[in-house]
Amino acid sequence: MIYLRYTSLWFTHHLGKQYSKPLPTKSRVVGVISLYANLLLIFCSLTINAQKLPTDSEQIFDYKTLKYNKASIVVFFDPECPICQKYTKNLIELDKKYSSEGIKIYVVYPFKVLDKSVLAEFREEYQFNLPIIYDSKRKLLKKLKANYSPEVFLLDNNRKRLYHGAIDNWFYGLGRNRAIPNEFYLLDAINAYKNNLEIKIKYIEPVGCML
């Protein structure tokens, strides 16, 4: 709506100057159509770019395509965060378990692009093969209102938030964790959604690095 309002004001101001002298009717119509066509292209380009983000695998993540999934798991993640590193195996297992059911996982790095050597070292050490989405301008972070890494968001096919927060209760403080988790917030939410049951816990504050 902001773009449209700006476009309307720009059009009124500049077109008034351009056509301050009378023009033949045909020329006026062609000029108006041409101007509107160019403005529409600019508006569409801005809208599309706001929905798309690059990945380290040279693919493009398009937020709009989440509507084709049964559900989506968006994880805000920093490869240099020790807690994120601990959860690499969990994320790989989640992807293997649910991707065939139409529940896709998306790993988002909400900072400037990682150094290639740092990323390569991280992938080799943790055998982490999921694409990493670069949200360097924090558009997706602001859209979902994420605050930590790792922080997960379970979205339905309308991109409605079903659950967000901690993956489980493995960590209960920075540098403080249980031997194994015994509460699985994300898995419980996924299973409830799959079985058309109410998701009772919709948010648990994550433990991790501040974004």
Side-chain angles (χ1 to χ4, degrees), residues 53-112:
L53 297 170
T55 71
D56 71 313
S57 58
E58 298 183 356
Q59 299 174 340
I60 297 295
F61 165 78
D62 188 345
Y63 184 74
K64 293 188 294 184
T65 62
L66 269 56
K67 65 183 179 182
Y68 300 116
N69 300 338
K70 181 173 183 179
S72 303
I73 303 166
V74 178
V75 187
F76 287 89
F77 187 90
D78 182 355
E80 296 181 294
C81 169
I83 296 179
C84 286
Q85 292 168 358
K86 295 285 188 181
Y87 275 103
T88 50
K89 184 177 179 181
N90 302 67
L91 297 178
I92 293 168
E93 289 176 350
L94 278 171
D95 181 62
K96 287 180 179 178
K97 183 175 182 178
Y98 290 111
S99 61
S100 61
E101 299 181 38
I103 300 175
K104 307 293 185 181
I105 187 166
Y106 301 91
V107 179
V108 181
Y109 179 71
F111 301 101
K112 291 183 178 180

Side-chain angles (χ1 to χ4, degrees), residues 129-177:
N129 59 358
L130 300 177
I132 294 178
I133 299 163
Y134 291 129
D135 186 24
S136 58
K137 294 184 179 179
R138 300 193 156 201
K139 292 180 180 179
L140 192 53
L141 180 144
K142 291 174 183 175
K143 189 177 189 69
L144 295 178
K145 300 179 181 178
N147 294 297
Y148 298 91
S149 65
E151 182 172 359
V152 295
F153 290 77
L154 177 64
L155 310 174
D156 68 10
N157 58 355
N158 292 315
R159 290 161 288 181
K160 177 185 175 183
R161 184 185 304 175
L162 302 174
Y163 168 79
H164 73 111
I167 295 172
D168 53 37
N169 72 339
W170 188 11
F171 284 83
Y172 55 91
L174 292 176
R176 303 171 66 189
N177 63 276

